[in-house]
Amino acid sequence: MSSVKETVLEINLAHLTNNFKYLKSKVAPNVKILAVVKASGYGSDASVIAKHLEKIGADYFAVAYTSEGVILREAGIKTPILVLHPQPVNFSKLITYQLEPSLYNARTLKEFVKTATSLNQKEYPVHIKFNSGLNRIGFGEHNVDHAIKQVQHTNTIKVISLLSHLAASEDHEEREFTLEQISSFKKATKSIINSLGYAPILHQSNTSGILNYPEAHFDMVRTGIGLYGYSNEAKYDRKLKPVASLKSIISQIHILKPGDSLGYNRAFIASEITKTATIPIGHADGISRQYGNKNGFITINSKPAYILGNVCMDMIMVDITAINCKEGDEVIIFDQTSSAATVAEHVGTISYELLTAISPRVKRVVIDDN
Ligand SMILES: *Cc1c(COP(=O)(O)O)cnc(C)c1O
């Protein structure tokens, strides 16, 4: 493989295919796959990811905000797109782009019906979000019936799905709580379907729900992190392949003498002869200051090189005293071997945060060996 010449985020589409197929093999053949491509496809490139998934058979897409759905439509995506967390200010744009809102409370339901009516919509597809215990967004068991009555009063909208979200599907210690969320969703949907007189698509599982709770697969599952190659669990991580690899290059090497300081605020002072490499990636690229002062590391020649001193806006300096390397060599921030999950864990965070932090100024390079 050729080595990189600047900081790049490689997006591997063969890995995406592998992950999609693996997750699909975990659900019954009739269960639809909704691919979550919010936050630029978990920090990669939503349009590239969605185009590929549309080609290999994703049934639905989801984004968090209306603007993210607009980007996908402008890229030519035709598959239905669920907007998980829209605001009324964007409802008319949402309709213009044929996006489908998750309506999560009386405020959004009322405003959506109002906007859809004013735009002469008939049976516009909407999704009703049920709060089964996450207590983030969603109708509760006490107000969902009222919402359904309002839906029945209008032919402006049609409920295409009922959804809920699990709070701790990756945490085996919370099994009892998760099972309660599942039975609460089952109970609520049964009564909603009764009132509606038809059965919308039911969905509650994220990636860890797919892997840990077959009883929560219903008609569709929503997978985000799994598609990008992470499962929150080692035994499944072995089957998945990280889609994104963040790579860079050694710009310059310095030899510090004992007493020499390094970087802003002189946060590192050498106590012995120390060889350092300066890398063109910093907190403006998504490597936060938490990673500084030997908390975080990158990989050079298969060896960990810890970050010395403070992370700068556009650079980090790493310890290469024990590593054989030279200026111009490629370095790995994360890839398949040194995963974003492992790197993130070192500073007490999760793969999701490290991946989605990679800023737009990092060049995306698509690798497609299909
Ligand atoms: C982000 C999100 C998902 C995807 O979760 P993963 O753990 O990444 O699979 C699914 N559903 C909702 C409502 C979400 O907000």
Side-chain angles (χ1 to χ4, degrees):
M1 198 194 274
S2 67
S3 65
V4 305
K5 295 179 173 53
E6 60 181 327
T7 302
V8 297
L9 188 80
E10 291 180 351
I11 303 169
N12 188 312
L13 297 181
H15 291 186
L16 181 60
T17 302
N18 170 82
N19 302 338
F20 180 80
K21 286 189 175 157
Y22 179 71
L23 291 157
K24 199 163 167 55
S25 78
K26 289 285 161 189
V27 302
N30 59 320
V31 173
K32 291 186 198 310
I33 307 280
L34 176 151
V36 181
V37 295
K38 63 192 179 189
S40 301
Y42 285 47
S44 58
D45 181 321
S47 302
V48 166
I49 297 288
K51 275 187 194 162
H52 188 71
L53 290 171
E54 187 168 71
K55 206 166 64 189
I56 62 175
D59 299 289
Y60 242 96
F61 289 114
V63 292
Y65 306 142
T66 304
S67 57
E68 298 181 303
V70 170
I71 289 171
L72 295 182
R73 284 284 181 252
E74 287 184 337
I77 295 297
K78 300 279 186 282
T79 303
I81 301 171
L82 163 59
V83 181
L84 293 164
H85 195 178
Q87 295 301 335
V89 66
N90 299 313
F91 282 163
S92 87
K93 182 172 244 182
L94 185 148
I95 291 171
T96 304
Y97 284 86
Q98 294 291 294
L99 306 170
E100 303 176 2
S102 158
L103 301 176
Y104 45 90
N105 57 3
R107 176 180 77 99
T108 50
L109 174 57
K110 186 171 143 245
E111 289 295 324
F112 192 78
V113 170
K114 201 164 120 191
T115 306
T117 305
S118 75
L119 295 171
N120 300 315
Q121 299 298 309
K122 293 275 171 298
E123 305 205 325
Y124 195 92
V126 304
H127 304 253
I128 300 290
K129 179 79 175 273
F130 177 71
N131 172 19
S132 57
L134 181 58
N135 293 326
R136 198 169 67 171
I137 52 174
F139 289 97
E141 55 180 324
H142 302 296
N143 53 18
V144 75
D145 290 335
H146 181 68
I148 295 307
K149 285 207 183 77
Q150 279 177 274
V151 172
Q152 287 168 302
H153 277 142
T154 166
N155 69 346
T156 306
I157 59 173
K158 174 158 175 135
V159 179
I160 195 143
S161 94
L162 301 171
L163 72 150
S164 189
H165 194 34
L166 298 172
S169 55
E170 75 282 17
D171 186 349
H172 296 291
E173 312 243 296
E174 294 292 358
R175 191 164 178 85
E176 211 175 309
F177 180 85
T178 304
L179 292 174
E180 254 170 56
Q181 279 199 279
I182 297 166
S183 68
S184 142
F185 182 59
K186 278 189 182 154
K187 198 170 140 225
T189 53
K190 211 170 156 188
S191 123
I192 295 169
I193 290 169
N194 250 333
S195 321
L196 282 176
Y198 60 88
I201 299 168
L202 307 183
H203 50 121
Q204 187 173 31
S205 285
N206 62 344
T207 299
S208 292
I210 296 172
L211 300 171
N212 299 329
Y213 295 93
E215 60 272 62
H217 290 176
F218 300 102
D219 307 310
M220 183 158 78
V221 291
R222 302 186 302 270
T223 174
I225 200 76
L227 288 174
Y228 304 97
Y230 298 91
S231 72
N232 305 313
E233 200 165 325
K235 71 173 173 191
Y236 298 119
D237 279 346
R238 283 192 282 276
K239 306 282 186 181
L240 299 170
K241 296 179 179 177
V243 166
S245 294
L246 184 57
K247 301 178 176 179
S248 190
I249 181 175
I250 297 175
S251 298
Q252 191 173 353
I253 288 175
H254 290 274
I255 312 275
L256 306 183
K257 300 185 303 299
D260 284 352
S261 68
L262 175 68
Y264 284 136
N265 312 103
R266 309 186 67 210
F268 175 79
I269 310 272
S271 56
E272 57 204 338
I273 297 229
T274 304
K275 202 160 112 183
T276 70
T278 302
I279 316 295
I281 190 166
H283 61 74
D285 301 290
I287 304 302
S288 74
R289 281 169 54 97
Q290 291 162 273
Y291 290 93
N293 298 303
K294 295 188 188 168
N295 291 314
F297 65 94
I298 67 171
T299 303
I300 303 178
N301 245 333
S302 308
K303 291 207 174 98
Y306 279 84
I307 300 173
L308 299 178
N310 289 323
V311 170
C312 313
M313 189 182 290
D314 320 302
M315 288 172 237
I316 52 174
M317 283 75 89
V318 300
D319 188 354
I320 54 163
T321 309
I323 302 175
N324 185 12
C325 57
K326 59 183 190 309
E327 291 178 354
D329 280 0
E330 176 178 299
V331 305
I332 306 290
I333 314 340
F334 56 75
D335 70 352
Q336 204 174 341
T337 319
S338 176
S339 85
T342 311
V343 172
E345 228 167 72
H346 274 250
V347 302
T349 184
I350 56 177
S351 57
Y352 297 71
E353 187 179 15
L354 176 56
L355 293 171
T356 58
I358 305 311
S359 79
R361 82 172 180 180
V362 174
K363 184 177 174 187
R364 268 65 174 168
V365 176
V366 179
I367 305 201
D368 187 0
D369 335 300
N370 286 321

